[in-house]
Amino acid sequence: MLPRSSAIGARFARRVTLAAALALPTTAPAQSAPFDTLARSALAQLSGRITLAGLRDRVEVIRDRWGVPHIYARNLDDLFFAQGFVQAQDRLWQMEMYRRTFEGTLAEIMGPSYVAHDRLARLLAFRGPFDDREWRSYHPEGRRIFAAFAAGVNAYIAQAGDRLPVEFRLTGLRPKPWTPEVALLRTTTAMPTADALAELRLAQSVARVGADSANRLARPSPFRPLVVPAGVDYSAIGPEVVAALSALRTGTVRPPLLPEYAGLRDALPSENGGVRENAPGSNNWVVSGARTASGKVIVANDPHRNVGNPSIRYLVHLDAPGWRVAGATEPVLPGVMIGRTEQLAWGLTIVGTDQADVYVEELDPRDHSRARFRGAWEPMRTVVDTIRVRDAAPVVVTHRFTRHGPVFHVDSARHRAYAMRTTAQLPGSAGYLSALRYHALRDCREFLSAQRWFLAPTENMICGDTRGNIAWQASAASPRRPNWHGRLPVPGTGEYEWDGLRTDLPRELNPARGWIATANHDIHPEGYDPPLFFKQGPQRARYDRIATVLSAGRRFTAADMLALQHDAHSDAAARDIPLFAGWTSGDPLVERGRRALADWDAQHRRESLAAALYHYAAPAISADVRRDADAVRRQELLERAIRAGLDSLRARQGTDPGTWRWGRINRSELPHALLRAYDIPPVERHGGAGFVAAVGATFREVADLGHPDSTWVTNAPGQSGQPGSPFYRNLVEPYGRGEYFPLAFTRAAVERAAAHRLVLAPAPR
């Protein structure tokens, strides 16, 4: 049971509730009849018995009332086979679109407009070798794990037959056979094109305004003077160079429907018009037992991406001899990427380590297949590739590679080529997968040692354990650049080369303050040099708020941590609230707004009128209003600001003040990728951009190390991506209200929460 909160403030903590013992609503949204029938006919089997070739022994899958599968196997191979099978049951369409996106095979289902994407995705792909250096980087039994997972996905495809997820029926597509290498695709989390693009854009700024002005405009954190490498003409970096590295299209994929469905009512897809994550928003923290009411460590994490349907996260519990772990993964990945074991829990947020550099290669004027390196011409490696294109002829492309990496643009007139060197080409750099090692760790000291395997993405990895330890490391493959900071493109002629990877990554173990937190901010310790990255500004607001709360001289409960994850306190609002006290307006509507603002706690809760009013009134509250000593003049200006806010609310939310609230400004939309018939109604939410409760958390977790069953989670909109499933949208409204449910770990807790039982049995030999 969740212990009573002792306080981030009782008023605040009461607002975060726990759906610990409640079966949540499982009704599906209204759909037009043909699509409703199609969806129900495609649902995966969740109960009973399925016989599968490829299993060695019997596996039990218990789905709890929230849709989380608890997988019990008797050996490693069956465990990951079953995980692949179960995740494909719930998310195969999502998995297939992911695969096509990062393999570069979208054009064959989407047409010519995706050729540029496919070309770049293939150019930047990891090209091996797929040997033990790659497989064993993630786990000593990596090859077995990935092979078993892929076999499980394929087993579901075979078992489903014509009852594949409804999207395959609607489009006429079939999933490709899964391979072990799919989980090792270098996605945008491990293919750091953003780092390279930042270099190109800063170089363009240098060419326009000079190095000092460009540096001031960039507002680097930590601040360092911008040193311009010699030997590169930045004025030659035109928009075509940037465009060549900007072709990846990683949004929702919408293949055309078959003609028999395209003309039906509700066939057109809806766009996602909800509020989006427009800045980093992830948070994690760990609090030592010396700062908790129970005396046990508490770990909290809410990693962010854009909210969508389905969630990018998938909750799962894996149980086999020597392997007991529960938490969140991504549907295409085996194991648990964020979660807990009996001994420890961990979480992550993006660090931002710079993992890529642009090299401007000097080409042989007589032979553009050769690039200069240290006084000699070296031949480029070439790979000829064919991109299949829907409703068009195949496109043949030639990929070129210098010693530094893939060439994404050639400037023939200037005899220059642009190549990207990236850690994504290193063995072991597929995203998140080194977390496969964490099931066997005994404490946070071993967790820190295991970070040598964590190469991508760049993450603040935190840990808490049952022995009372807390720890953090900024984990990533971090290039050692002996003579430059990596902020600008450099010549490829040999003067600017990586010298392996850094081994001095910042970390902490059991700091005296009793807590550790990260929030995508500048984490460099004082005096740390050279920096791992340069952010645009320190981006400290969320971290500072978390630090303020955790530094309070009190002992925290798990309920306090749930409340802090939904904290939407605005320092700016708190500064302005006193302006609305001590006076009265003669205009009744303005007076109602004034009272709401004067009584407000500066928290942006979804039901808050004051938060919505302040959002629209704040732009009219200038620094002059705050400084004005004339009370009459100040009141006049404040009334004007309130009227402006009220006018905006009336225009955007209607004439009934009883319906005005923050949630109508901060709501997430959950359209289906293909059909508006399968859309999930929007959900109003607490928080928003810039708050601890930022926009993009679909998954949240709080783990109390006092007991294996003391973990609370949420995942929206649901565990299943299949319309019509009881787990397609059952978590949406609890998510909007800030509710969590327990992640059962012990067998007794799983049995109490069981809703569906499925036995996977080996086929007779």
Side-chain angles (χ1 to χ4, degrees), residues 43 57 116 160 216 388 405 446 499 601 676 709 763:
L43 293 179
D57 213 329
R216 286 195 299 272
R388 295 174 58 192
E446 292 186 355
D499 182 20
D601 62 359
R676 62 182 55 177
D709 290 324

Side-chain angles (χ1 to χ4, degrees), residues 618-663:
I621 305 173
S622 67
D624 290 340
V625 176
R626 300 184 184 97
R627 288 195 301 264
D628 200 326
D630 184 334
V632 174
R633 173 63 177 164
R634 182 188 298 122
Q635 178 175 333
E636 178 184 331
L637 294 173
L638 289 171
E639 289 196 46
R640 186 180 301 171
I642 293 171
R643 285 193 183 92
L646 294 171
D647 288 344
S648 294
L649 280 171
R650 190 178 297 109
R652 292 169 172 82
Q653 298 193 11
T655 58
D656 180 4
T659 67
W660 296 348
R661 58 187 179 271
W662 175 249

Side-chain angles (χ1 to χ4, degrees), residues 360-365 370-373 377 415-417 492-493:
V360 183
E361 311 282 11
E362 179 184 340
L363 302 182
D364 184 345
R370 304 197 302 172
R372 183 185 295 276
F373 185 76
W377 296 111
H415 314 299
R416 294 292 184 269
T493 47

Side-chain angles (χ1 to χ4, degrees), residues 18-96:
L18 179 69
L22 302 177
L24 302 176
T26 58
T27 55
Q31 301 162 5
S32 55
F35 293 132
D36 181 44
T37 301
L38 275 175
R40 284 188 281 105
S41 71
L43 293 179
Q45 179 181 341
L46 304 185
S47 300
R49 182 184 179 92
I50 299 175
T51 300
L52 298 171
L55 280 175
R56 289 169 48 192
D57 213 329
R58 179 180 182 273
V59 177
E60 188 175 10
V61 180
I62 302 175
R63 278 182 170 84
D64 64 28
R65 68 188 70 171
W66 299 281
V68 178
H70 303 263
I71 302 174
Y72 293 91
R74 298 175 182 175
N75 59 76
L76 178 146
D77 300 283
D78 285 353
L79 180 69
F80 288 101
F81 181 102
Q83 187 183 11
F85 184 89
V86 165
Q87 289 176 195
Q89 281 189 307
D90 285 333
R91 302 287 190 92
L92 184 63
W93 176 259
Q94 180 187 24
M95 294 166 71
E96 181 68 8

